[in-house]
Amino acid sequence: MTGAPAKAEIAAPAAPRRRWPIWLSVALGLALFGGANWHLVHVAITSQPDCVAHRRVGDADPAGRAPIAARSACTPEPTGARAP
Protein backbone atom coordinates (compact mmCIF):
# COMPACT_ATOMS: atom_id res chain seq x y z
CA MET A 1 0.00 0.00 0.00
CA THR A 2 1.13 3.52 -0.65
CA GLY A 3 -0.03 5.01 2.67
CA ALA A 4 -3.30 6.50 1.38
CA PRO A 5 -6.38 4.79 2.83
CA ALA A 6 -8.34 2.65 0.47
CA LYS A 7 -11.95 3.55 -0.24
CA ALA A 8 -13.17 0.70 1.94
CA GLU A 9 -11.25 2.06 4.94
CA ILE A 10 -12.81 5.56 4.89
CA ALA A 11 -15.57 5.84 7.48
CA ALA A 12 -18.86 6.88 5.99
CA PRO A 13 -21.17 9.21 7.93
CA ALA A 14 -24.11 7.60 9.70
CA ALA A 15 -26.91 6.82 7.34
CA PRO A 16 -29.86 9.26 7.56
CA ARG A 17 -32.24 6.37 8.09
CA ARG A 18 -30.51 5.63 11.39
CA ARG A 19 -30.87 9.17 12.69
CA TRP A 20 -34.65 9.45 12.45
CA PRO A 21 -35.30 7.82 15.86
CA ILE A 22 -33.09 10.46 17.48
CA TRP A 23 -34.88 13.34 15.75
CA LEU A 24 -38.25 11.79 16.52
CA SER A 25 -37.30 11.50 20.20
CA VAL A 26 -36.14 15.13 20.28
CA ALA A 27 -39.36 16.31 18.61
CA LEU A 28 -41.56 14.28 20.97
CA GLY A 29 -39.63 15.56 23.99
CA LEU A 30 -40.04 19.18 22.88
CA ALA A 31 -43.74 18.62 22.20
CA LEU A 32 -44.21 17.07 25.64
CA PHE A 33 -42.31 19.93 27.31
CA GLY A 34 -44.33 22.56 25.41
CA GLY A 35 -47.62 20.82 26.13
CA ALA A 36 -46.91 20.56 29.84
CA ASN A 37 -45.99 24.23 30.06
CA TRP A 38 -49.08 25.25 28.08
CA HIS A 39 -51.21 23.20 30.48
CA LEU A 40 -49.66 24.90 33.52
CA VAL A 41 -50.24 28.37 32.05
CA HIS A 42 -53.82 27.47 31.06
CA VAL A 43 -54.67 26.17 34.54
CA ALA A 44 -53.06 29.18 36.20
CA ILE A 45 -55.08 31.59 34.07
CA THR A 46 -58.46 29.84 34.16
CA SER A 47 -58.63 28.57 37.74
CA GLN A 48 -59.88 30.57 40.67
CA PRO A 49 -59.05 28.86 43.95
CA ASP A 50 -61.61 28.95 46.71
CA CYS A 51 -60.94 30.65 49.99
CA VAL A 52 -59.36 28.43 52.60
CA ALA A 53 -59.69 28.64 56.34
CA HIS A 54 -56.70 30.31 57.96
CA ARG A 55 -55.87 32.42 60.97
CA ARG A 56 -56.49 36.10 60.73
CA VAL A 57 -54.73 38.91 62.50
CA GLY A 58 -56.03 39.03 66.05
CA ASP A 59 -57.05 35.34 66.20
CA ALA A 60 -55.66 33.41 69.15
CA ASP A 61 -52.96 30.83 68.51
CA PRO A 62 -51.87 29.03 71.66
CA ALA A 63 -48.69 27.63 70.10
CA GLY A 64 -47.87 30.86 68.28
CA ARG A 65 -46.63 29.02 65.20
CA ALA A 66 -49.55 29.03 62.75
CA PRO A 67 -49.03 31.29 59.74
CA ILE A 68 -51.22 34.33 59.19
CA ALA A 69 -52.28 35.64 55.80
CA ALA A 70 -50.72 39.03 55.12
CA ARG A 71 -53.83 40.28 53.32
CA SER A 72 -56.79 38.01 52.80
CA ALA A 73 -58.84 38.27 49.63
CA CYS A 74 -61.72 36.45 51.32
CA THR A 75 -64.03 38.05 53.80
CA PRO A 76 -64.94 36.00 56.85
CA GLU A 77 -68.47 34.60 56.97
CA PRO A 78 -70.72 35.93 59.69
CA THR A 79 -71.05 33.63 62.68
CA GLY A 80 -73.83 31.12 62.16
CA ALA A 81 -73.87 31.46 58.35
CA ARG A 82 -73.87 28.21 56.43
CA ALA A 83 -73.03 27.42 52.86
CA PRO A 84 -75.98 26.28 50.71
Side-chain angles (χ1 to χ4, degrees):
M1 291 188 96
T2 61
K7 286 187 178 181
E9 294 178 17
I10 298 175
R17 65 176 178 234
R18 295 185 185 204
R19 290 186 182 174
W20 72 265
I22 295 171
W23 288 112
L24 179 63
S25 298
V26 168
L28 289 175
L30 288 174
L32 182 67
F33 182 76
N37 282 311
W38 177 87
H39 174 70
L40 289 174
V41 169
H42 172 72
V43 169
I45 291 173
T46 59
S47 68
Q48 178 63 38
D50 292 335
C51 295
V52 295
H54 60 84
R55 280 191 339 119
R56 298 180 189 280
V57 176
D59 288 349
D61 180 23
R65 290 179 278 164
I68 299 174
R71 183 174 19 160
S72 178
C74 304
T75 57
E77 292 183 8
T79 307
R82 293 189 174 199

